[in-house]
Structure formats: structure tokens, C-alpha cells
């Protein structure tokens, strides 16, 4: 049976409960244990697919095609492992399952009620997601005291009774404000959070105190006494410069040993923080710094949420930079500024590299295309992600193949050269207005072209053998096997995650290739349609784009090959 660690948040949201959960996981991994993490989202949405990223942060995509809250991304980046969609549990999923079951007559005349049916379904989902791990972290979204997380706390208390207290621990992550007019750290909100939690019959075993500064002894003692907690189980987690410092800071307080002791366990191995420390040191004090422009559509975004809506790209650049001992300064440029004329794109010359990220719709598209044009013709490193590949193809078709009217049908359905288009099978679904099912979601296999730059990048990063193992796993799972399509024997294959509707139109591939665009990888669907996954230009220092979102597979110490190659070329 796994050991469960429930992480709940007190006082307010946004204090870093997700990274704290991920950090505890990382610490336990370093002590030799298998760890997974579950995120509970108490909202009624079935998943995050329909949430506005500017409000809620980026939509995270899992290998198995889940559209999830970004905390799952944090877990993957810290734990360096793939986490499936069932590790995200929402109120919507729980109620839908119970109600569907009721409609199918599975409750046989019973009155279906909040208790026991809802907590039972929650527990079932937690157990299913636990798999064969030694430790399962369960992060409860929101803040203690929210009406919405009551069912989950109830379910967790019930899980505690089932598995025994010796197999389940509670961690409360709180925040200690320092009001500027008194300059004194206040423990009262934390005390209130402890009390609120106790109303659900839950008493924390550990309290992690987020604050601007480290806690002093007086305040630690005060919280210890109030919470009636074992001495030294109040842990200080002050503000830091990079989230990757958190496991190191928590380890200074010997959190790993303390948690293991709480469960009556011993470390299986001595933690080795050397590599991690070096990467953190590189993030904090890089030898050099490069400047990258990310050209996208940033309407409706204030100053605050921008980085969050593109957190994975941000993190991918950070990871690549850390491995190359280079800081990456990101500037978010609204593509509209490059809209009027191509000349305005010359502003891009002050950057070492240009990225066009994923996106939807017509807004700012011509500006993005102009930015791609500038990168291509001025030989500035360019990385196109999803929409960034599609628009690079449009740019190439217009300016190299001389198809002046070329476009994606997403923006111009009447174009005479639909180089990016919806594939027939998908169009049928779209016409029936079944928008939910029309995206290509999750990991798909790409057969890479021999001798291509893309193949070289994946090879050098060790991803070919890593993905080979994952391919074997997917082959065993009938419901997921479609992700592999037809695999050409003897070819090198990689897996990346997707989230899009449109594809490079197969009927233009020959023409584009004749003009010098190299398609360096494709997914072959069971019906033998080839969907293009990568493009590259041979006579350019770094002009690489992918239909996928490689930013979902980048981890500290294991950066995404395309980002690594991009940053490396920006340094040059
Ligand atoms: N809008 C494009 C499509 O749906 C690209 C999507 C994306 O960049 N994620 O195909």
C-alpha cells in the first residue's frame, strides 16, 4: 500500500502549494522512493481544456491527451516523469461519473447522496491514480475554508480511516504576511487555517510556512504550540529566486528525513543533490545571458498573468539555459506591432533568437508571419511551436514558393493555397459542431528523417532511447496504440504532445520540399495519411519548428532537445 501525503493550503492561494508538493516529491525521490502526485481541482469544469489561459494559466497537456491544470506540469518538471490525466481529479468529473452511473441504473433503487457516493468516487479515483508508487502526494486545490473543497477533505479523512493514520500524513502550506506598516510577521492567519482544517477533523502533521523571510524561533514555537504539532515539524519556506531552490531549502530543514520518520521509514539511498544544485547555481548566476523574443498574441493580458499563460515555454528556456549555464531573458512581444509593414520586424534584430508559440485565431497573425520572415531571411535562430510551425509554412509558401495567397484555413477559409488545413476526418466532426473532440491531443509518434537536424538533436539528448521505452508501454495499451500510427521499421521515433486542429496540407508537401523546406518528421495515421511533425531549413543556423508542444516534455536536468538546440544556437 502506498503512503499518502495530503497537501492543503491555508490563508490564500498562489503561495506555491504546487511547487511545495512537487518539491516534497522530489525530496522523497532523492531518498530512493517512487513518487507520484495527484492534483485535486474543486471546480465544476470537467477538465481545464475550456478554461481561459489568461485567467487560469496555461492548459497543460498529458501524454494520454488530458487537458489539465498547470500543477501537473510542475510535478513533471520536478519529478522528471510522465503523469497521466487520471492524476487530476475535478469536482466535475466526480459528479459526472456518479450521475452517469445513476442514469445507467447502477445504484439499483438506492438514494444517491453526497455521502457516501461522492467521497467514495473521490477515494476510488485517488487509489486508481496511486498506481504502484511508494508515495502519493495529493494536493487539494484552493484554500482551506472554501466550500468547494469540503467533499475532498471529507473523502481524505475517510481514506485516512481506511488506510490507517500511519499511512497518511497531512501537510498544511500557509502564508505568513508581514504588513508593511508594522514590519512584523503575523501568525494569526495560519492559526485560523489550522482551526478551519480541524473542522474537517484534520490536524496537520507538518506545517510549511511560506513568507517573505524565514521564520524566527519565536514564531515557529508559537505555531507549534497552537497546532499541537511535533517540535520541528513547522518548516520555513521563505521567498526564493527560482522555484528549483525549494527542495534544497526544505532539505536544509531535513524535511525528507522527518517525513520518512513520520511514516516509520528510512531512506533507501543517500540523496544526491549535486547535479540539482549545479543547475540551480547556473540559473542564479549564469555565465552569460541571451535575449529571446516570443512573438504572440497577448491581448486581454495584464502585466501579471503573461508568464503563467506560457509557463511551460518559460520553463523550457530556463531548463535549456541551466544546462548550458546561460540565462535566458525573455521579452514578450505583441505580434500586432509587426503587422503594418515588414520593416517594423527589423526591431527583432536586437534578439538572439525568436519564438512563435502556440496560438489560435486571426489576431496578430500577419505580424507573426512577418516575424518568421525576419528570422528566416536574417538567419536568426527560430523555434516555431505548433502555430509557430504552421505560420512558418505559410511564410515559406508565400515568399519562397511564390504562393502569395497561401494561408491557414483557420484564418482564411477561402485561400487558393490552403497550406495549413483541417484534415477530412476532422472536418466531419467539426461540421457536426463537436468541438470537444476535434483536437489532436496528447503524445503522438513522429518518425524522424535520417540525417536531419531534428534527429541529431533528439539523439544527442538521449531522447531516442527514452522514448523507445515509452513506445513499448503504449503498444501494450490498446486504447492508446493509435498514438503510434504506422511505425516504419528501422527508423528513429520520438513522442511529443499535441494540442491543435489544423495540419500541414499533404497536397502541398511536395511543392514545399522542392523549394527547400525539409520535413524532418511525420506521424503516419492508420489510414496512411502523413501528418507533418517537424520542419527545418538546411541553410539556416537554426530554423526548426514542430507541430507539437515540446515544452510539455522539458524538465530541469533533462531539457527539451529543441529548446536546448535553440538556446545553444542563440549563444553562438
Ligand atoms: N490554431 C492552430 C490549430 O488549431 C494551432 C494550435 C496551437 O498552436 N496549439 O491547429
Amino acid at each position: 500500500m502506498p503512503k499518502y501525503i495530503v497537501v492543503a493550503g491555508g490563508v490564500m492561494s498562489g503561495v506555491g502549494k504546487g511547487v511545495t508538493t512537487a518539491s516534497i516529491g522530489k525530496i522523497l525521490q532523492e531518498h530512493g522512493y517512487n513518487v507520484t502526485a495527484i492534483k485535486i481541482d474543486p471546480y465544476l469544469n470537467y477538465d481545464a481544456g475550456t478554461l481561459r489561459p489568461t485567467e487560469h494559466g496555461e492548459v497543460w497537456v498529458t501524454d494520454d491527451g488530458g487537458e489539465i491544470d498547470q500543477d501537473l506540469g510542475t510535478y513533471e518538471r520536478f519529478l522528471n516523469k510522465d503523469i497521466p490525466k487520471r492524476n487530476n481529479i475535478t469536482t466535475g468529473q466526480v459528479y459526472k461519473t456518479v450521475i452517469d452511473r445513476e442514469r445507467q441504473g447502477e445504484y439499483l433503487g438506492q438514494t444517491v447522496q453526497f455521502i457516501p457516493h461522492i467521497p467514495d468516487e473521490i477515494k476510488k479515483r485517488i487509489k486508481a491514480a496511486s498506481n504502484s508508487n511508494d508515495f502519493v502526494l495529493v494536493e487539494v486545490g484552493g484554500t482551506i475554508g472554501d466550500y468547494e473543497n469540503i467533499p475532498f477533505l471529507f473523502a481524505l479523512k475517510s481514506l485516512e480511516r481506511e488506510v490507517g493514520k500511519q499511512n497518511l500524513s497531512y501537510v498544511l502550506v500557509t502564508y505568513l504576511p508581514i504588513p508593511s506598516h508594522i514590519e512584523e510577521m503575523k501568525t494569526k492567519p495560519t492559526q485560523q487555517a489550522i482551526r478551519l482544517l480541524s473542522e474537517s477533523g484534520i490536524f496537520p502533521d507538518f506545517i510549511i510556512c511560506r513568507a517573505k523571510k524565514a521564520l524566527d524561533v519565536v514564531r515557529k514555537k508559537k505555531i507549534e504550540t497552537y497546532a499541537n504539532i511535533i517540535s520541528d515539524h513547522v518548516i520555513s519556506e521563505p521567498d526564493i529566486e527560482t522555484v528549483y531552490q525549494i527542495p534544497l531549502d526544505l532539505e536544509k530543514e531535513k524535511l525528507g528525513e522527518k517525513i520518512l520518520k513520520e511514516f516509520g521509514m528510512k531512506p533507501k539511498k543517500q540523496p544526491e543533490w549535486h547535479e540539482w544544485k549545479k543547475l540551480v547555481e547556473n540559473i542564479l548566476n549564469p555565465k552569460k545571458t541571451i535575449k529571446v523574443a516570443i512573438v504572440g498574441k497577448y491581448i486581454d493580458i495584464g502585466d501579471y498573468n503573461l508568464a503563467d499563460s506560457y509557463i511551460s515555454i518559460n520553463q523550457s528556456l530556463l531548463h535549456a539555459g541551466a544546462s548550458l549555464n546561460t540565462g535566458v531573458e525573455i521579452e514578450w512581444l505583441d505580434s500586432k506591432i509587426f503587422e503594418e509593414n515588414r520593416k517594423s520586424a527589423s526591431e527583432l534584430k536586437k534578439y538572439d533568437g525568436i519564438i512563435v508559440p502556440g496560438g489560435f485565431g486571426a489576431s496578430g497573425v500577419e505580424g507573426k508571419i512577418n516575424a518568421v520572415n525576419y528570422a528566416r531571411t536574417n538567419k536568426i535562430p527560430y523555434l516555431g511551436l505548433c502555430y509557430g510551425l504552421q505560420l512558418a509554412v505559410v511564410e515559406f509558401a508565400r515568399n519562397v514558393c511564390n504562393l502569395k495567397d497561401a494561408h491557414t484555413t483557420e484564418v482564411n477559409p477561402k485561400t487558393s493555397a490552403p497550406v495549413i488545413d483541417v484534415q477530412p476526418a476532422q472536418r466531419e466532426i467539426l461540421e457536426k459542431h463537436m468541438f470537444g473532440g476535434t483536437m489532436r491531443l496528447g503524445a503522438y509518434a513522429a518518425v524522424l528523417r535520417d540525417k536531419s537536424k531534428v534527429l541529431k538533436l533528439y539523439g544527442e539528448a538521449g531522447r531516442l532511447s527514452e522514448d523507445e521505452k515509452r513506445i513499448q508501454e503504449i503498444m501494450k495499451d490498446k486504447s492508446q496504440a493509435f498514438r503510434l500510427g504506422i511505425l516504419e521499421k528501422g527508423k528513429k521515433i520520438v513522442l511529443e504532445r499535441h494540442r491543435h486542429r489544423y495540419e500541414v496540407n499533404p497536397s502541398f508537401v511536395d511543392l514545399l520540399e522542392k523549394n527547400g523546406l525539409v520535413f524532418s518528421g511525420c506521424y503516419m495515421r492508420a489510414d496512411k495519411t502523413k501528418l507533418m511533425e517537424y520542419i527545418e531549413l538546411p541553410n539556416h543556423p537554426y530554423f526548426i519548428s514542430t507541430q507539437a508542444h515540446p515544452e510539455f516534455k522539458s524538465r530541469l536536468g533533462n531539457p527539451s532537445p529543441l529548446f536546448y538546440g535553440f538556446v545553444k544556437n542563440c549563444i553562438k
Side-chain angles (χ1 to χ4, degrees):
M1 196 206 304
K3 309 283 182 196
Y4 292 95
I5 300 176
V6 175
V7 183
V11 182
M12 62 186 194
S13 66
V15 299
K17 191 153 39 80
V19 286
T20 304
T21 305
S23 299
I24 296 173
K26 173 76 192 164
I27 290 171
L28 292 167
Q29 262 185 346
E30 275 305 316
H31 284 79
Y33 288 96
N34 285 327
V35 180
T36 193
I38 297 171
K39 174 72 194 295
I40 286 172
D41 280 312
Y43 46 66
L44 277 166
N45 300 62
Y46 191 81
D47 60 31
T50 53
L51 291 174
R52 194 175 301 126
T54 47
E55 226 170 75
H56 210 85
E58 167 191 271
V59 177
W60 175 259
V61 179
T62 60
D63 265 355
D64 55 353
E67 295 177 281
I68 312 277
D69 179 276
Q70 42 166 319
D71 281 315
L72 245 63
T74 310
Y75 306 159
E76 288 200 12
R77 286 189 279 269
F78 276 74
L79 302 178
N80 191 17
K81 72 189 271 189
D82 303 321
I83 294 185
K85 65 178 169 196
R86 67 173 178 208
N87 286 39
N88 181 231
I89 305 173
T90 70
T91 301
Q93 291 166 14
V94 172
Y95 273 83
K96 186 169 185 310
T97 310
V98 171
I99 293 169
D100 284 351
R101 212 180 277 145
E102 188 272 336
R103 292 289 78 189
Q104 284 154 11
E106 282 184 41
Y107 290 106
L108 286 174
Q110 284 178 53
T111 309
V112 181
Q113 286 176 303
F114 172 64
I115 295 174
H117 298 103
I118 297 299
D120 278 355
E121 177 58 26
I122 296 170
K123 281 190 289 180
K124 204 160 142 194
R125 284 174 178 261
I126 292 175
K127 286 183 204 156
S130 304
N131 221 353
S132 52
N133 286 281
D134 304 314
F135 281 98
V136 179
L137 290 140
V138 185
E139 180 188 345
V140 185
T143 309
I144 296 309
D146 292 349
Y147 291 119
E148 292 172 310
N149 58 33
I150 292 172
F152 294 100
L153 296 176
F154 193 91
L156 288 161
K157 187 69 196 168
S158 157
L159 181 69
E160 175 203 311
R161 211 177 26 247
E162 241 176 69
V163 301
K165 182 67 191 77
Q166 71 281 12
N167 291 314
L168 190 148
S169 267
Y170 296 101
V171 176
L172 176 66
V173 180
T174 71
Y175 189 75
L176 288 94
I178 308 176
S180 56
H181 60 291
I182 46 172
E183 278 301 331
E184 185 198 325
M185 188 183 279
K186 303 305 277 181
T187 61
K188 186 68 78 191
T190 297
Q191 295 179 26
Q192 304 286 12
I194 295 165
R195 215 188 79 191
L196 271 172
L197 196 55
S198 74
E199 283 174 12
S200 301
I202 294 175
F203 301 92
D205 300 294
F206 291 90
I207 300 178
I208 297 190
C209 298
R210 288 277 303 108
K212 220 173 182 161
K213 294 193 249 175
L215 253 65
D216 57 13
V217 182
V218 179
R219 262 142 274 257
K220 263 195 177 178
K221 261 269 139 334
K222 203 168 175 179
I223 296 171
E224 255 174 40
T225 315
Y226 192 89
N228 222 344
I229 204 172
I230 300 179
S231 140
D232 277 345
H233 277 206
V234 173
I235 310 282
S236 184
E237 193 188 314
D239 284 358
I240 26 72
E241 276 170 77
T242 166
V243 293
Y244 299 106
Q245 275 172 283
I246 295 174
L248 302 174
D249 280 359
L250 294 178
E251 271 300 75
K252 278 186 203 146
E253 302 227 19
K254 301 217 176 327
L255 184 62
E257 273 176 35
K258 286 177 190 171
I259 290 178
L260 289 176
K261 195 164 160 227
E262 178 74 16
F263 285 107
M265 295 162 84
K266 293 217 158 63
K268 269 194 190 161
K269 76 170 188 57
Q270 241 1 73
E272 282 155 34
W273 292 106
H274 180 73
E275 270 303 302
W276 191 270
K277 264 190 192 151
K278 204 172 86 201
L279 293 165
V280 167
E281 181 50 36
N282 288 356
I283 294 173
L284 297 177
N285 301 304
K287 213 161 80 197
K288 43 193 168 299
T289 302
I290 57 161
K291 226 172 160 175
V292 169
I294 304 189
V295 182
K297 151 178 116 173
Y298 304 126
I299 43 166
D300 297 332
I301 305 180
D303 289 346
Y304 296 103
N305 288 326
L306 199 55
D308 250 16
S309 337
Y310 289 97
I311 185 168
S312 296
I313 298 181
N314 230 324
Q315 292 289 311
S316 301
L317 289 168
L318 186 87
H319 299 159
S323 290
L324 290 158
N325 199 355
T326 299
V328 182
E329 222 175 86
I330 301 172
E331 220 163 294
W332 310 91
L333 301 180
D334 189 338
S335 58
K336 286 226 179 83
I337 56 177
F338 308 123
E339 204 97 274
E340 286 82 53
N341 56 46
R342 255 201 233 159
K343 259 204 210 120
S344 60
S346 64
E347 276 193 38
L348 287 167
K349 69 165 163 283
K350 55 176 192 266
Y351 298 97
D352 301 301
I354 297 165
I355 291 179
V356 172
F360 293 84
S363 169
V365 151
E366 291 304 321
K368 292 183 196 177
I369 295 172
N370 284 343
V372 177
N373 175 270
Y374 191 81
R376 181 176 62 79
T377 51
N378 291 283
K379 302 224 183 304
I380 299 179
Y382 173 73
L383 178 60
L385 306 167
C386 201
Y387 215 16
L389 170 136
Q390 297 177 354
L391 298 177
V393 170
V394 170
E395 192 280 324
F396 193 86
R398 284 184 188 176
N399 301 316
V400 181
C401 308
N402 220 9
L403 298 168
K404 293 291 171 224
D405 188 41
H407 220 319
T408 161
T409 53
E410 178 173 359
V411 180
N412 178 8
K414 297 207 178 77
T415 169
S416 58
V419 288
I420 306 293
D421 198 7
V422 172
Q423 292 309 289
Q426 261 165 315
R427 182 169 298 121
E428 267 170 47
I429 315 176
L430 260 180
E431 276 162 7
K432 288 184 204 141
H433 283 270
M434 288 159 61
F435 292 108
T438 55
M439 285 227 232
R440 191 145 77 100
L441 280 171
Y444 281 85
V447 178
L448 299 185
R449 192 188 188 113
D450 296 335
K451 300 200 178 83
S452 62
K453 292 187 188 185
V454 169
L455 173 60
K456 190 161 178 261
L457 287 166
Y458 277 90
E460 285 170 357
R463 268 286 288 279
L464 297 174
S465 48
E466 241 177 72
D467 286 7
E468 177 61 42
K469 275 183 230 138
R470 294 168 60 233
I471 288 168
Q472 297 305 326
E473 279 161 31
I474 294 177
M475 271 181 183
K476 282 184 229 144
D477 181 352
K478 275 210 184 92
S479 72
Q480 296 292 310
F482 70 94
R483 302 190 172 281
L484 304 176
I486 302 171
L487 300 177
E488 275 175 74
K489 281 229 164 62
K491 293 275 188 184
K492 302 285 185 260
I493 296 149
V494 289
L495 293 156
E496 291 284 11
R497 297 178 189 171
H498 290 247
R499 186 173 189 256
H500 63 106
R501 285 194 181 89
Y502 293 80
E503 307 281 354
V504 174
N505 187 340
S507 45
F508 285 89
V509 167
D510 277 350
L511 177 74
L512 291 158
E513 260 184 333
K514 262 190 210 116
N515 282 279
L517 190 65
V518 174
F519 288 94
S520 31
C522 69
Y523 163 71
M524 205 193 301
R525 228 165 39 186
D527 64 4
K528 296 213 170 118
T529 314
K530 277 187 177 172
L531 303 180
M532 296 303 142
E533 296 284 13
Y534 296 94
I535 57 167
E536 62 186 56
L537 286 177
N539 299 319
H540 189 290
Y542 195 91
F543 192 97
I544 292 182
S545 299
T546 171
Q547 187 57 78
H549 289 279
E551 65 270 26
F552 293 136
K553 290 277 308 181
S554 175
R555 288 99 190 240
L556 187 67
N558 188 8
S560 158
L562 298 193
F563 280 89
Y564 185 86
F566 174 72
V567 171
K568 202 169 168 183
N569 275 279
C570 291
I571 300 169
K572 281 181 195 162

